[in-house]
Amino acid sequence: MPDRIGGADVLAVEMLGITKRFGDFTANDRIDLDVRRGEVHALLGENGAGKSTLMNQLYGLYPPTSGDIFINGERVRLASPKMAIERGIGMVHQHFMLVQPFTVTENIILGLESTGAFGILDEARAYREVESLSDRYGLLVDSRARIQDISVAMQQRVEILKCLYRGADILILDEPTAVLTPQEIEYLGEIIRNLTSEGKTVIIITHKLHEIKSMADRCSVIRRGVKIGTVDVASHTEGELAEMMVGREVTFAVEKRPLQAGDPVLSVKDVCCVNNRGLPALKDLSFDVRRGEILAIAGVDGNGQSELIEVLTGLRAVESGSVTMLGSDITGFAPGARIEMGLAAIPEDRQKRGLVGPFTVAENLVLEERARPPFSTRGILDLGAIERHARSLIEHFDIRPPREKYLASSLSGGNQQKVILAREITRDPELLIASQPTRGLDVGAIEYVHKRLVQVRDDGKAVLLISLDLDETLDLADRIAVIYGGRIVAVLDREDADERKLGLLMAGGEAVHVQ
C-alpha cells in the first residue's frame, strides 16, 4: 500500500483494517477510521466497545494485530508512546499521570528539562515557556502551583499542556469531562476550540452525547469492537447517536414513583473532620437521608465530598459530631460493622477503593460476602458457587468481556464500574451510598444504573447520591443538599432546584434552606 503524502485533503489520522486481539478475545475487528486535520472527532461506544483500545494503538501503547496507521498521509509504525509523541500525537488519559508534589511546570517539562551552564536546570526559561503556552491556548494554568494543590479540572489542563509542550498536533482526550462540573465542561469546550483554531486535531472519547453535540464535528460509533459508522454530528440527534451506539432506542427520562419518604436511615449531625494534610475538610456538616428517597449531594469537586464518603463508610475518623444509622450511633464503627448493618457503597475511586485489581471478576463480586454461605462453608470457599454467582451478575449487568475468571484490572473503566455496581446493589442494602455511580458509563449502562438506583429507593431503602453530574443529580434526586467549603449550605426539594440555582450555590453564592 503506497504512502499517502501530498494534497490539501491529507488526513491527520487514517487507520485501516485495525484488528486487535488479546488471546482469543477480539477488541477491535477490522476498524477503519479517518480523522481530518483541524476537526474535533468523537469516538462513541458502549463500555468495552474497544474505543480506548483503538486509541491506545494510535498512541503506541499496543501494537495492532493487523492493519495500517497513517499520520498526515505517511504510513507509520508506532511501537511506543515515544514514537507517537515524535509523530505529533499526545494523549490525555482518563486517570491523570502527574507527580503530585511537583509543580505544574516540573510535571510539564519532566524528561525534557532545559539546562543552562554546568547542566543546571534553567527554571526561569521553563516557567516562561509554560506560561506562554498556557496563555496562547487560554488554559489559564498557574505554572508554579503544586499538582496536589490544584483542582481536577486544572490537572487536566496540565495534561493538555504536557502534550502541547512536546509538540502535539493531534490530541487524544479519553473521557475528558468525566470529573468536571458543567462550568468546567463549558470551559474545556472553549479550550478545544482554541486548539482547533490553531490547526490542532482533537479526538475525544466520551459517552456524553450532549457534549459530543456541543464540541464535535464528526462522530465514529463503535459497537462490540466493530465500527458502525461515521456521521456529521450536526445532522444527528442525541437519540439517533445513542441508538447507533447501543443498537436500540434509549430512554433518557428517569421514571420514579411519587415520593413516600419515611424515617431517617442515616443522620449526620455537626460532623467535623480534617483532610490528609490536617486541614478542616468538613465543618459542622448535618443532613438526614430518609427511607424511600434519594438525597443528592451537589458541589464542585474538592469541597469535602471525598472526606464525607470516608466518614460515612468508616475510613476516616471525625473530630466531632455524630453519624447515626437505623437509630444506632455508628460514629466509631469499623467499615465491616457498617456493612453488617446494611450499608453498601459505590466508591468514587473504583480502582483504589472498589476493586482488587489482581483478583478475578468472580472474586471481586463476593468481596464482602465471601465468608458466608453459599460462597463459603466452614471457612472453605466454594469456587463453583462463586463462579455461578458471577456468571449471573455478568449477564444481568452486561459486564464485558463476559468472563468470570478475567482479572478486574484487565476490564475497561466502565466495566470495572459495572462490577462494583453489581456487587453493591444486589446486596439489598438499607442504605446505598452511590458516589459518581455512572462515571465513565455509556448511555445504555447509565439508563440501567439509574433504574436500579430508583428501584432501591422505591423499595423503601435510602440512597445517598454524590455526583458531579448536575443532569444526573436533577434527574434522580428527591432532595438536593449543596456542599461548599465542607458545609451543607442549602437543602432544596427537587421541584425548587434548577441548574442555575445549584450552580450559584455550588460556587458559594447566597445560601437558602428549604425543608
Side-chain angles (χ1 to χ4, degrees), residues 97-161:
M97 299 181 180
L98 299 171
V99 183
Q100 293 293 316
F102 282 15
T103 67
V104 166
T105 296
E106 287 167 346
N107 270 275
I108 289 170
I109 68 172
L110 195 60
L112 297 175
E113 296 88 344
S114 298
T115 57
F118 310 108
I120 297 174
L121 176 65
D122 189 344
E123 289 188 26
R125 176 183 173 186
Y127 283 113
R128 285 196 305 272
E129 290 175 344
V130 169
E131 288 164 1
S132 175
L133 265 182
S134 176
D135 292 343
R136 177 177 175 183
Y137 294 101
L139 290 162
L140 304 180
V141 168
D142 180 355
S143 63
R144 298 178 184 274
R146 296 195 182 278
I147 297 298
Q148 63 195 18
D149 296 329
I150 63 178
S151 68
V152 173
M154 197 64 69
Q155 290 181 37
Q156 183 181 74
R157 297 180 206 172
V158 175
E159 288 281 20
I160 293 172
L161 272 174

Side-chain angles (χ1 to χ4, degrees), residues 164-344:
L164 296 173
Y165 189 81
R166 284 156 176 75
D169 288 314
I170 300 165
L171 282 90
I172 306 165
L173 308 181
D174 191 357
E175 297 290 351
T177 64
V179 294
L180 304 184
T181 66
Q183 293 88 346
E184 290 166 344
I185 291 169
E186 185 176 339
Y187 190 71
L188 176 64
E190 292 181 18
I191 292 170
I192 289 173
R193 285 189 287 274
N194 290 340
L195 291 169
T196 54
S197 70
E198 292 275 346
K200 306 294 185 185
T201 301
V202 180
I203 303 172
I204 302 177
I205 304 172
T206 182
H207 299 105
K208 297 187 178 181
L209 296 169
H210 60 282
E211 287 158 21
I212 290 177
K213 290 289 292 181
S214 67
M215 295 182 188
D217 301 302
R218 292 192 302 152
C219 175
S220 292
V221 181
I222 300 174
R223 190 193 310 157
R224 297 182 183 269
V226 176
K227 180 183 165 186
I228 302 301
T230 298
V231 298
D232 289 324
V233 170
S235 60
H236 286 72
T237 66
E238 290 183 20
E240 289 169 338
L241 293 174
E243 191 166 345
M244 284 182 68
M245 176 176 67
V246 180
R248 60 175 176 81
E249 186 176 352
V250 177
T251 302
F252 292 99
V254 178
E255 296 182 3
K256 297 188 295 185
R257 293 206 302 248
L259 176 64
Q260 295 180 335
D263 296 332
V265 173
L266 177 73
S267 294
V268 180
K269 181 70 172 174
D270 297 328
V271 164
C272 297
C273 79
V274 297
N275 61 21
N276 293 338
R277 300 168 60 202
L279 301 174
L282 301 180
K283 306 165 187 175
D284 298 319
L285 183 140
S286 300
F287 64 88
D288 293 332
V289 189
R290 304 171 295 188
R291 286 194 178 278
E293 80 164 345
I294 298 176
L295 175 73
I297 304 288
V300 176
D301 193 26
N303 276 276
Q305 295 97 319
S306 298
E307 290 83 2
L308 173 60
I309 297 164
E310 292 174 354
V311 164
L312 297 180
T313 54
L315 295 173
R316 183 177 295 273
V318 303
E319 299 289 303
S320 60
S322 64
V323 179
T324 303
M325 181 175 168
L326 300 172
S328 298
D329 189 335
I330 63 168
T331 309
F333 281 25
R338 300 180 191 220
I339 291 170
E340 291 287 342
M341 289 189 67
L343 184 148

Side-chain angles (χ1 to χ4, degrees), residues 438-512:
T438 58
R439 177 181 287 174
L441 295 185
D442 59 68
V443 291
I446 290 171
E447 176 191 37
Y448 181 76
V449 170
H450 285 177
K451 287 180 178 178
R452 292 305 299 257
L453 293 176
V454 169
Q455 186 62 55
V456 173
R457 172 251 202 203
D458 289 348
D459 287 344
K461 308 302 174 62
V463 178
L464 177 63
L465 172 68
I466 302 172
S467 177
L468 298 177
D469 187 331
L470 272 188
D471 289 337
E472 179 169 71
T473 296
L474 290 167
D475 283 344
L476 290 175
D478 298 300
R479 291 188 301 145
I480 302 171
V482 180
I483 190 170
Y484 176 77
R487 291 186 172 92
I488 297 297
V489 297
V491 180
L492 307 175
D493 290 330
R494 170 58 186 89
E495 55 267 25
D496 296 321
D498 57 38
E499 188 168 320
R500 182 178 175 278
K501 185 181 292 185
L502 291 176
L504 176 65
L505 290 164
M506 289 163 59
E510 183 180 355
V512 296

